[in-house]
Amino acid sequence: MKKYIKIICIGTAVILLLLLLVFVHHHIHLNAESELRLPLGQMVEVGGHNMSVYVEGTGDTTLVFLSGGGTCSPILDFRSLYSLLSDRYQTVVVEKFGYGFSDVVDRDRDLDSILQDTRAALAAAGLSGPYVLCPHSMSGLEALYWAQKYPDEVSAIIGLDMAVPEYYDSMKINIPMLRAAGWAAHIGITRLIPGISDSDAIRYGTLTEDEKEIYRAIFFSRTATVTMLNEMERVKENAEKVRSMKAPQLPMLLFISDGSGGTGFEKEAWRSIPIQYLSQVEGGEYVLMDCPHYVHDHEYKAISEGIISFLSPR
């Protein structure tokens, strides 16, 4: 028994020592990457914390891009797309708390709180609606709720494979596993996994080599943050809140992927759910795309052309 206890103690000590070395290694790299994490846009104060708002281009129409859950660098994730639109429109990326250059905060992420933060950030940046909302994935809930609650502030919704409430009926969300991933990211274990930071934006988009390095630096400081995890804990409740209200009646265009890229759905199921939701919206349109979930990193040219056509006077 003493022998086994000794082995366990030695094993535990070795594991703790290795974790300490990984943690120190991670923070050495974080310090070295500090200049790469200097904000690309402007920082505005919302509720005593800083939020990042990036603005590019000018025009009478303002497109507001809202990132999907867990997207570490929204500004760079959307860059391949909005760079093709900013010569016609004012394009804006709002980075929610816990994302990109915004502060990580441990607070409730119910839909009302998320929406109020976004609206306050836009106002603090000197921007006003009505907006064309361009949400990706989970931010579709925020966009729909925004149009439901403040219809005068939203002129249209252009969904980039955006979520609708019915997706969350069958979606399984393993919070303990997500929490474990957050712990691993905080310790620095994720830094040891080759290629883990190379997102679709890096592999398929139009980012420069410098922008790719910035993206990787942000990834290692904004992966599975506590804010993101709190958001995931409330997502089913948030979906139900949107479902409890009628579908907003406004111009709506959905770009729908083939469901690959981590959605957990089969192709036909993934596509049928938003099409069914869109049947409640008078004049709603959709485009089926043969590409993974991050459609704006794969089909940015086709999507930009579709957006320009959709927003052009008819």
Side-chain angles (χ1 to χ4, degrees):
M1 180 62 71
K2 290 182 179 180
K3 179 180 178 180
Y4 289 133
I5 292 174
K6 185 178 180 180
I7 291 172
I8 291 171
C9 289
I10 292 174
T12 301
V14 169
I15 292 171
L16 291 175
L17 178 60
L18 288 173
L19 289 175
L20 177 61
L21 291 174
V22 169
F23 182 76
V24 171
H25 171 265
H26 178 48
H27 278 266
I28 289 173
H29 279 274
L30 286 177
N31 289 334
E33 294 161 353
S34 60
E35 289 192 8
L36 292 172
R37 297 195 305 275
L38 294 176
L40 293 174
Q42 58 180 304
M43 303 300 292
V44 299
E45 184 178 334
V46 175
H49 299 280
N50 292 318
M51 281 184 71
S52 164
V53 179
Y54 180 84
V55 182
E56 182 173 300
T58 58
D60 296 332
T61 302
T62 301
L63 278 57
V64 177
F65 291 84
L66 304 168
S67 70
T71 300
C72 66
S73 178
I75 290 173
L76 294 178
D77 181 60
F78 286 122
R79 174 149 289 182
S80 298
L81 177 55
Y82 65 69
S83 64
L84 298 176
L85 297 166
S86 56
D87 61 337
R88 290 174 176 263
Y89 313 108
Q90 181 172 239
T91 61
V92 182
V93 182
V94 178
E95 295 190 313
K96 295 179 287 187
F97 285 128
Y99 292 73
F101 301 104
S102 295
D103 289 349
V104 175
V105 297
D106 189 359
R107 58 167 57 165
D108 194 10
R109 293 286 79 191
D110 66 284
L111 200 51
D112 283 284
S113 297
I114 295 172
L115 177 55
Q116 295 311 318
D117 288 345
T118 300
R119 295 172 69 240
L122 290 169
L127 301 168
S128 59
Y131 307 109
V132 175
L133 303 181
C134 302
H136 172 241
S137 196
M138 190 165 67
S139 280
L141 298 177
E142 181 181 355
L144 292 171
Y145 190 58
W146 197 338
Q148 289 169 332
K149 196 167 182 180
Y150 305 102
D152 292 341
E153 296 181 10
V154 183
S155 60
I157 292 177
I158 298 174
L160 305 171
D161 215 26
M162 77 175 201
V164 296
E166 288 71 20
Y167 275 134
Y168 296 97
D169 290 345
S170 57
M171 188 179 291
K172 295 180 180 179
I173 301 173
N174 190 329
I175 296 299
M177 183 174 291
L178 292 174
R179 293 284 179 192
W183 177 83
H186 177 70
I187 293 296
I189 295 173
T190 51
R191 193 180 284 274
L192 304 179
I193 304 174
I196 192 172
S197 63
D198 287 357
S199 65
D200 284 10
I202 288 177
R203 288 180 289 170
Y204 305 109
T206 60
L207 298 181
T208 65
E209 290 304 314
D210 288 342
E211 288 167 344
K212 290 177 182 179
E213 287 305 304
I214 294 171
Y215 195 111
R216 294 184 181 106
I218 297 171
F219 175 88
F220 290 117
S221 67
R222 290 295 185 273
T223 294
T225 64
V226 64
T227 326
M228 294 176 181
L229 297 176
N230 291 348
E231 194 175 47
M232 291 304 299
E233 284 188 333
R234 295 296 298 268
V235 68
K236 285 184 178 284
E237 295 174 44
N238 290 338
E240 194 56 42
K241 179 174 287 188
V242 175
R243 193 211 307 268
S244 69
M245 304 172 72
K246 293 182 179 179
Q249 299 302 310
L250 77 173
M252 194 179 299
L253 171 63
L254 305 185
F255 292 96
I256 304 171
S257 78
D258 61 15
S260 61
T263 67
F265 285 77
E266 294 296 328
K267 179 177 179 179
E268 293 309 314
W270 181 257
R271 288 180 164 179
S272 65
I273 291 172
I275 292 173
Q276 178 60 37
Y277 184 88
L278 202 59
S279 68
Q280 306 171 67
V281 180
E282 184 177 352
E285 303 175 29
Y286 66 89
V287 177
L288 298 179
M289 315 209 80
D290 292 319
C291 69
H293 183 45
Y294 277 74
V295 291
H296 48 281
D297 291 323
H298 292 265
E299 295 290 348
Y300 40 87
K301 185 175 181 180
I303 292 174
S304 68
E305 292 171 352
I307 290 174
I308 292 169
S309 176
F310 180 69
L311 295 178
S312 296
R314 304 186 183 188

